[in-house]
Amino acid sequence: DTLWDLAIAEVEKRENPDDDHVKPGEVWEKSVLFMGNKNGGKTTIILRCLEREESPKPTLALEYTFGRRARRHNTPKDVAHFWELGGGTSLVELIRIPITSHNIRSFAVVLVLDLSKPNELWTTLESLLQVTRNHVNKILTKLEKTNPEVAAEIKQRMWNDLQRDHPDYALVDPFPIPLVIIGSKYDIFHEFDSEMRKIISKTLRFVSHYYGASLVFTSKSEALLLKARALINHLAFGYDKSKSVSVDPSKPLFIPAGLDSMSQIGPPPASDSDLGKMRANTPLELWKKVFEKTFPPKSFCDLQDTKDPAQDTQYAEYEVDVMRAQKNQELEQYKRNASKSWKEMDFDSD
């Protein structure tokens, strides 16, 4: 290597410290999965990140798109794969499709929570993050046998945003892959009672810090969308991560991973007597009980999406739909015939 080659490699390493395995001239390729509340604004955020002037359409299952960016002039364009999980929590098992052992090293998750629906908030974040974490942990367990170096690298990277001398190092449980939590519809949330806003804000700050995630509140406001876009561009294209922080509960929160602390967040928003009555095995469980006392959760069944995607007109295909209608008629006929045959059978009551 010439001196210039070494200088270029050093500059690229400094500009992309989180991706040492990308060599000069190679294409950076990342994947990001968006999930969260149904109608929470995931598609709008994705389109804004990709600078596309399109009207968002409802996402019924799992949708894919991609974006390309050049890090510098006359360099290959990096690629970011964007996956979006529709249906709220009803289709969470589909996460196994985009998150695989082949791309786990370059995968990240964006959880979009609808701030205007606090009674759905904890159930949504808990169910989606739990299933995702279990799936990622299974992949890591397999990697420990087949490629232990990569597994060790991923596990170490979980702690990159939290220095060992951080006072909360022993109190948190970082998510196994990079995570950004977005609180959407801040314009509606801002009209809530100040005490309600304080409880929601403090709870999301705790959850984000506990999981080693970045947190940002956003809405259709261009200024707020730009802040969310900055965090996502860091995940997708390796852009510099913002160091600014906003923790004022009267304003939109913006807290990059690792820049918050338990002491700044404070205790769960409940009286000492109420806290003393609550039985919890972990800090996360305690915050959950405090939050759900103010915002009783909707049952998991209420959050299920029962709409049949096959009936959606935006996915209409004439030949497929005709064949499906024929098969449905055959199925109904079979049910009627089976019902008659069962009724005609003579069962021995003994």
Side-chain angles (χ1 to χ4, degrees), residues 5 36 57 70 88 102 118 140 162 170 184 204 211 238 255 305 315 341:
D5 291 331
K57 296 178 181 178
H102 300 293
L140 291 177
L162 205 65
S184 65
L204 286 180
Y211 283 127
I255 313 171
D305 184 14
Y315 298 110
S341 62

Side-chain angles (χ1 to χ4, degrees), residues 40 89 91 127 140 147 157 161 167 172 239 274-275 278 340:
T89 58
L91 302 171
S127 58
L140 291 177
N147 199 334
R157 195 175 59 191
D161 289 317
V172 299
Y239 288 11
D274 284 342
L275 288 175
M278 294 178 181
K340 290 178 184 178

Side-chain angles (χ1 to χ4, degrees), residues 73-105:
H73 186 60
N74 288 333
T75 60
K77 287 188 176 181
D78 298 323
V79 179
H81 306 280
F82 288 88
W83 296 86
E84 182 185 355
L85 180 69
T89 58
S90 61
L91 302 171
V92 67
E93 294 300 326
L94 291 178
I95 63 157
R96 292 178 294 183
I97 295 172
I99 309 178
T100 68
S101 57
H102 300 293
N103 65 14
I104 189 70
R105 195 179 183 187

Side-chain angles (χ1 to χ4, degrees), residues 33-36 85 88 91-96 98-100 104 107-111 124-140 175-179 211:
L33 171 64
F34 288 76
M35 56 187 184
L85 180 69
L91 302 171
V92 67
E93 294 300 326
L94 291 178
I95 63 157
R96 292 178 294 183
I99 309 178
T100 68
I104 189 70
F107 211 97
V109 169
V110 175
L111 176 65
T124 300
L125 78 87
E126 184 177 56
S127 58
L128 289 173
L129 292 184
Q130 196 171 62
V131 173
T132 305
R133 183 168 211 157
N134 290 342
H135 176 62
V136 171
N137 285 339
K138 287 179 182 177
I139 292 175
L140 291 177
F175 207 67
I177 53 179
L179 172 65
Y211 283 127

Side-chain angles (χ1 to χ4, degrees), residues 341-350:
S341 62
W342 277 101
K343 289 176 183 176
E344 291 167 359
M345 287 185 180
D346 186 18
F347 291 100
D348 188 348
S349 59
D350 294 336

Side-chain angles (χ1 to χ4, degrees), residues 16-83:
N16 304 299
D18 297 332
D19 208 69
D20 294 337
H21 62 280
V22 176
K23 298 175 182 177
E26 282 188 350
V27 173
W28 167 301
E29 197 166 342
K30 296 283 187 177
S31 298
V32 183
L33 171 64
F34 288 76
M35 56 187 184
N37 290 96
K38 188 170 182 276
N39 299 321
K42 299 182 292 296
T43 305
T44 300
I45 293 170
I46 292 173
L47 291 175
R48 187 64 192 87
C49 286
L50 297 176
E51 299 179 357
R52 292 183 186 169
E53 299 296 329
E54 301 174 23
S55 298
K57 296 178 181 178
T59 303
L60 292 175
L62 185 66
E63 294 193 2
Y64 167 82
T65 188
F66 69 94
R68 301 177 72 197
R69 297 278 191 280
R71 268 172 283 175
R72 282 170 298 283
H73 186 60
N74 288 333
T75 60
K77 287 188 176 181
D78 298 323
V79 179
H81 306 280
F82 288 88
W83 296 86

